[in-house]
Amino acid sequence: MIKLSHVSKRYPNGHEALKDVSFDLAAGEMAFLAGHSGAGKSTLFKLITRIEKPTSGQIIVDNQNLSRMRSSKVPALRREIGVIFQDHKLLFDRSVFDNVALPLIVIGLPHDEIQKRVRAALGKVGLSGKEKQYPVTLSGGEQQRVGIARAVINRPNILLADEPTGNLDEALSDEIIDIFADFNQVGVTVLIATHDLRQVERLNKRTIHLVQGQLVENAISSGKSEVE
Amino acid sequence: MGTYIARHLQVLFATLGDLRRTPMSTINTLLIIAITLLLPCLLYVTVKSAQTLSDSWEGRPQISIFLKKEISDDTATLIFEEVKLHPSIELAEFVTPEQALAEFKVLSKGEANLEQELAFLGENPLPPSIVVMPDKASAKSEKLIALKDELSQFDGIESVRLDLDWTDRFNAMLLVFSRVAMLLSGLLALGLILIVGNTIKLLIFNRRHEIEITKLVGGTDTFVRRPFLYYGTLFGLLGSIISLGLLLGAASLVAQPLNQLAELYQSNGLIHQVTALEMLAVVLVGSLLGWLAARWSVAQHLRDIQPK
């Protein structure tokens, strides 16, 4: 589903965020992307959602080569990928309903269909009945779940989550990671960037380590590790 | 198709809601647009009124042909016949020296000096002349000048005097004025585009965060720019409606004293009544300019806003 071959990203200031990274995430797979802050996790997500372009290498998402993708096709790509951001990226002057509905409004779904799906998504993340509230009135964990509801509302094939448990307590973190696991159960490809090793151990999934922009892959379940 | 219209209506109402939520800045913008549009409208009404005025005069210029003094009466009659048959001439009247003198005496009645001088000369100093009225088609200034030149070539004609009377001068000035008005209107339209474009630019930057997120969740450029196009068009539409209100108000303010003036000159309805079609045109042009301004602004600024 997501395939990177020899991807490097160097910023104009000379900082090399990713160095020759290659990995392949199969459809329906769930993996963690681990590494310290500054290891290149966010850069990787930006490349996959084509917010940025790699300096070299090839990225293929759902059989589409992002290097050759015209900018007019980018919106269609982003509709296939649900992204959860560390800073939530919510609109604070809009209600919870409007925030979650945005990906559906963008594709022009009829209003009653939007209403149905927003209710379902909010129910799924445990925020039923909070449609009319504004994000500021919600706690950090609730805001994070609004972001998740928005990411999944369009039933994407891929979910990317950047530090979704960043500043949540353990119980809340478990709850949120379990929501992702649930989506993975129904066939969604999930990639979670985190430095929360507790979650990595708890779920026992494939883990891709990034160390200073270079890839170190561990398959925790089998205990072996490969170094590239 | 239904969804498409519903989507547009949704953006329209959302934009109207946004405009209502910031009434002061909306009113400010609308007034600036209205006044910018009002100036060309006022110029138009002025030109139109002046044209109605000049049409109502229906004045046609005269040409006076002075014959050489020494020619015989027969030759003079011959020339008169020839002039009379000229295709561009509708009416020709022969004025003998005696008639001219009589007319002169009537006109200069009471001016003792002139009469004394005439008496001193002993003989009639006035030449025979022909007064000519060209037909309607030749009553335009440039054709008149050509006709004048042609007549001057005739044998036995001393001089031809063309009285481009003051209606012509008025029309010529009106033409200059309307050209200046058009130029000014063009400049004001450009100004309007810049004003609305700048307002849209500020709106775009205010909604930067929203634009980034919309692009992140897969909003197309068309989707992102749509509300701003609505903003521009609505600004133009509402601004031009206010402008029409101001125009009608200004016209009614001027109409009363102007009609009093018209009565004195036995004329009526000096001021141009703005027709429904003209009002529609103002509203359409206003909306179009607003839309254009938004297109221009969006093309300049929206591409730069990308998710980070």
Side-chain angles (χ1 to χ4, degrees):
Chain A
M1 189 57 94
I2 302 173
K3 188 177 158 78
L4 278 78
S5 337
H6 306 290
V7 171
S8 296
K9 175 68 183 176
R10 185 185 289 114
Y11 286 103
N13 63 14
H15 172 64
E16 200 165 21
L18 292 174
K19 289 175 209 156
D20 194 31
V21 171
S22 301
F23 72 85
D24 193 347
L25 200 63
E29 200 178 348
M30 179 168 174
F32 286 103
L33 185 64
H36 295 289
S37 46
K41 292 174 294 182
S42 298
T43 302
L44 195 63
F45 279 8
K46 283 178 189 168
L47 295 180
I48 295 171
T49 50
R50 209 172 178 271
I51 292 170
E52 283 171 2
K53 287 182 185 177
T55 316
S56 63
Q58 208 177 49
I59 303 169
I60 292 170
V61 177
D62 197 16
N63 298 319
Q64 300 170 83
N65 188 334
L66 299 199
S67 324
R68 292 206 210 107
M69 182 175 271
R70 277 189 291 147
S71 50
S72 60
K73 301 277 181 210
V74 171
L77 170 80
R78 290 186 185 151
R79 287 170 194 180
E80 269 183 68
I81 308 173
V83 189
I84 292 106
F85 302 91
Q86 192 175 1
D87 59 354
H88 319 322
K89 289 210 194 293
L90 299 180
L91 292 169
F92 285 92
D93 57 344
R94 303 288 179 89
S95 65
V96 167
F97 181 92
D98 286 346
N99 268 285
V100 176
L102 191 61
L104 300 182
I105 292 170
V106 153
I107 57 173
L109 233 53
H111 190 70
D112 45 346
E113 176 74 14
I114 292 179
Q115 244 171 353
K116 229 187 292 169
R117 286 226 226 161
V118 170
R119 289 225 182 82
L122 285 175
K124 183 108 184 107
V125 298
L127 286 178
S128 291
K130 306 236 177 190
E131 288 97 331
K132 292 216 172 90
Q133 293 196 20
Y134 282 79
V136 271
T137 65
L138 303 178
S139 69
E142 285 173 322
Q143 288 184 15
Q144 185 64 280
R145 281 183 281 166
V146 173
I148 296 172
R150 187 183 64 193
V152 301
I153 191 133
N154 201 17
R155 298 168 189 157
N157 295 322
I158 301 169
L159 267 181
L160 302 179
D162 193 1
E163 300 286 2
T165 58
N167 29 30
L168 304 180
D169 61 42
E170 289 191 359
L172 261 174
S173 298
D174 290 357
E175 219 176 278
I176 283 185
I177 296 295
D178 287 345
I179 293 174
F180 291 126
D182 286 349
F183 280 107
N184 179 243
Q185 285 292 309
V186 295
V188 179
T189 311
V190 180
L191 183 61
I192 302 170
T194 185
H195 56 252
D196 187 352
L197 290 170
R198 207 180 58 84
Q199 294 298 341
V200 175
E201 280 160 26
R202 193 171 68 89
L203 266 88
N204 202 15
K205 296 275 185 192
R206 177 183 171 191
T207 304
I208 299 160
H209 280 281
L210 275 178
V211 180
Q212 293 185 327
Q214 280 182 309
L215 190 113
V216 185
E217 188 155 355
N218 293 329
I220 284 200
S221 53
S222 58
K224 66 175 185 198
S225 69
E226 343 164 344
V227 178
E228 281 187 40
Chain B
M1 191 63 192
T3 343
Y4 181 79
I5 293 167
R7 236 186 292 172
H8 272 270
L9 281 178
Q10 195 257 331
V11 176
L12 171 66
F13 286 117
T15 310
L16 280 172
D18 284 345
L19 289 177
R20 258 188 59 184
R21 225 164 293 138
T22 52
M24 281 325 282
S25 71
T26 300
I27 289 170
N28 257 334
T29 310
L30 291 182
L31 277 180
I32 292 169
I33 295 167
I35 290 166
T36 314
L37 278 170
L38 180 63
L39 282 161
C41 289
L42 279 176
L43 289 171
Y44 174 80
V45 169
T46 310
V47 169
K48 267 290 198 188
S49 305
Q51 271 169 359
T52 326
L53 188 66
S54 111
D55 285 350
S56 71
W57 290 327
E58 213 188 273
R60 247 186 280 172
Q62 283 188 348
I63 299 175
S64 305
I65 302 166
F66 298 98
L67 305 181
K68 290 199 170 107
K69 207 167 159 13
E70 63 274 13
I71 59 169
S72 68
D73 287 358
D74 286 347
T75 326
T77 316
L78 223 64
I79 293 171
F80 172 62
E81 290 299 329
E82 203 176 336
V83 167
K84 208 173 163 185
L85 288 173
H86 192 282
S88 302
I89 285 165
E90 194 173 287
L91 229 80
E93 193 190 339
F94 192 80
V95 183
T96 61
E98 291 72 37
Q99 283 169 327
L101 186 65
E103 198 181 336
F104 180 79
K105 277 184 173 159
V106 171
L107 284 173
S108 60
K109 210 179 173 102
E111 295 196 40
N113 285 345
L114 279 173
E115 272 180 64
Q116 274 174 13
E117 275 167 32
L118 272 177
F120 177 75
L121 279 170
E123 56 169 311
N124 185 354
L126 299 173
S129 62
I130 307 166
V131 176
V132 150
M133 192 184 261
D135 63 6
K136 252 201 156 94
S138 308
K140 305 247 170 358
S141 305
E142 57 277 21
K143 288 197 177 156
L144 278 178
I145 289 163
L147 182 62
K148 179 197 165 191
D149 290 345
E150 192 188 334
L151 291 172
S152 308
Q153 306 299 317
F154 279 39
D155 242 9
I157 288 181
E158 176 77 44
S159 69
V160 178
R161 224 187 65 215
L162 172 61
D163 274 328
L164 272 183
D165 76 0
W166 70 278
T167 64
D168 280 286
R169 262 171 270 157
F170 182 83
N171 281 336
M173 282 196 297
L174 192 60
L175 196 68
V176 173
F177 181 74
S178 66
R179 286 285 154 84
V180 172
M182 264 189 244
L183 194 74
L184 215 59
S185 304
L187 284 173
L188 286 166
L190 201 68
L192 189 77
I193 288 180
L194 291 173
I195 292 166
V196 177
N198 201 47
T199 309
I200 301 284
K201 174 186 158 183
L202 291 176
L203 283 168
I204 290 174
F205 283 105
N206 277 341
R207 293 171 68 171
R208 205 187 177 101
H209 186 58
E210 184 187 333
I211 293 166
E212 281 177 17
I213 290 175
T214 307
K215 286 190 173 182
L216 262 180
V217 300
T220 56
D221 287 350
T222 315
F223 180 88
V224 170
R225 79 178 182 203
R226 190 173 295 145
F228 299 105
L229 297 185
Y230 269 96
Y231 261 114
T233 314
L234 281 174
F235 276 147
L237 178 79
L238 299 175
S240 56
I241 290 172
I242 295 174
S243 180
L244 279 178
L246 293 174
L247 178 70
L248 295 179
S252 73
L253 212 65
V254 180
Q256 208 240 338
L258 204 60
N259 284 339
Q260 267 177 0
L261 184 75
E263 261 169 50
L264 292 177
Y265 287 90
Q266 274 113 42
S267 174
N268 47 24
L270 272 184
I271 199 149
H272 173 68
Q273 296 290 328
V274 183
T275 64
L277 203 67
E278 284 163 344
M279 290 192 217
L280 187 70
V282 170
V283 172
L284 283 179
V285 168
S287 311
L288 185 75
L289 287 174
W291 180 79
L292 272 175
R295 273 304 285 249
W296 170 69
S297 188
V298 157
Q300 274 192 318
H301 305 292
L302 223 48
R303 205 178 315 138
D304 299 337
I305 301 178
Q306 292 295 345
K308 287 190 280 280

